[in-house]
Amino acid sequence: MSATLPAGPPAALPLSPGEEAVMRALGRLMLVMPRVLDADLQDEQRMSLSEYSVLRHLSEAEHGLMRMSELAAACDMSLSGMTRLAGKLESQGDLRRIRCERDARGLNAVLTDSGLARLRRAWPTHLASVRRHIVDHLEGLDLDRLAAVLEAMAGGGGQPCQSAAHDVPQR
């Protein structure tokens, strides 16, 4: 008599107690950490973590400029959510939205001097929050290895967003 394999995917192995503990702790961390970082920024700077993220990504982009779709992806937001947030930041003078010269349908977000100044004011608050809620708990760990593992778990990083030089506005 020949043995046949069952149809369908192989049965998943149950998690060990240690694996289960890590999975549950990571799940909780993914929910709690953005909230506590946001609360610190809100309390001390009247700025949301999403606003901080937008300004930070723009500050790190070449010429302080990113396509709205790239910025939304970098901030893990929908394009409509980014449009609303960019509108708020634009009304506060922190960024400008300009047409993309390569593609008239697209818009670029451009960091203003005011937005960069606001980011610089918020940076010490965010840094203290990150240290208190994250870094201070990692003593003794190989941080380079931890960063590599977390990045691999997140699906790896993409290339930094780059915009063409002809899209760079004059300040």
Side-chain angles (χ1 to χ4, degrees), residues 58-71:
L58 287 173
S59 77
E60 294 170 351
E62 187 175 346
H63 307 291
L65 178 145
M66 290 178 75
R67 289 201 49 135
M68 289 288 291
S69 58
E70 293 174 344
L71 186 55

Side-chain angles (χ1 to χ4, degrees), residues 22 25-27 29-30 33 134 138 141-157:
V22 168
L26 280 174
L29 180 68
M30 291 185 304
M33 191 56 61
I134 301 171
L138 303 177
L141 296 179
D142 179 345
L143 296 182
D144 292 333
R145 177 73 181 129
L146 177 61
V149 167
L150 292 173
E151 189 60 42
M153 290 169 64

Side-chain angles (χ1 to χ4, degrees), residues 35-61:
R35 292 178 191 157
V36 297
L37 296 177
D38 184 77
D40 287 347
L41 279 169
Q42 291 282 7
D43 289 347
E44 294 186 36
Q45 298 294 324
R46 301 294 179 244
M47 173 188 282
S48 71
L49 183 59
S50 294
E51 291 169 324
Y52 184 89
S53 182
V54 167
L55 298 178
R56 180 180 57 84
H57 281 288
L58 287 173
S59 77
E60 294 170 351

Side-chain angles (χ1 to χ4, degrees), residues 13 17 31-32 35 75 91 105 119 142 148:
L13 295 176
L31 295 173
V32 171
R35 292 178 191 157
C75 295
S91 72
R105 297 172 298 151
L119 177 65
D142 179 345

